[in-house]
């Protein structure tokens, strides 16, 4: 089982609206995907935030799937040689 996102906070506590990596692990998740272009575009995830999410997920013994893709407009605007 995998999750599509996790909190950047690795410590327990109130982080309303976020799912802690340890919570994902506790329900049986083995993987978490971070860095979605949609999260970057619509929720302002930055490289720094994505790095923090990766570190928190790894600390919770989750396998990280790191997305490095671009938005559709960027992909459609790229030349075939890029």
């Amino acid at each position: 089982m995998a999750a599509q996102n996790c909190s950047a906070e690795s410590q327990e506590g109130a982080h309303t609206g976020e799912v802690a990596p340890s919570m994902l692990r506790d329900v049986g998740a083995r993987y978490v995907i971070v860095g979605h272009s949609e999260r970057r575009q619509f929720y302002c995830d930055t490289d720094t935030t994505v790095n923090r999410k990766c570190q928190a997920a790894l600390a919770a013994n989750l396998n990280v799937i790191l997305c490095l893709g671009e938005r559709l407009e960027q992909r459609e605007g790229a030349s075939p040689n890029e």
Side-chain angles (χ1 to χ4, degrees):
M1 178 168 44
Q4 290 186 336
N5 191 36
C6 70
S7 172
E9 300 301 326
S10 60
Q11 297 185 13
E12 303 284 329
H15 301 284
T16 304
E18 293 291 323
V19 179
S22 60
M23 293 170 70
L24 295 173
R25 187 198 60 239
D26 289 347
V27 298
R30 294 178 54 205
Y31 301 88
V32 63
I33 306 167
V34 296
H36 294 273
S37 59
E38 294 89 358
R39 294 281 318 172
R40 293 172 185 266
Q41 182 178 3
F42 299 119
Y43 297 96
C44 303
D45 279 4
T46 64
D47 288 346
T48 300
T49 304
V50 171
N51 182 36
R52 289 182 59 223
K53 290 180 181 190
C54 285
Q55 296 302 317
L58 291 170
N61 295 315
L62 293 170
N63 297 294
V64 175
I65 301 168
L66 177 60
C67 298
L68 301 173
E70 70 280 357
R71 293 190 311 269
L72 178 62
E73 300 84 24
Q74 292 170 313
R75 184 170 24 135
E76 289 177 342
S79 70
N81 296 330
E82 290 185 31

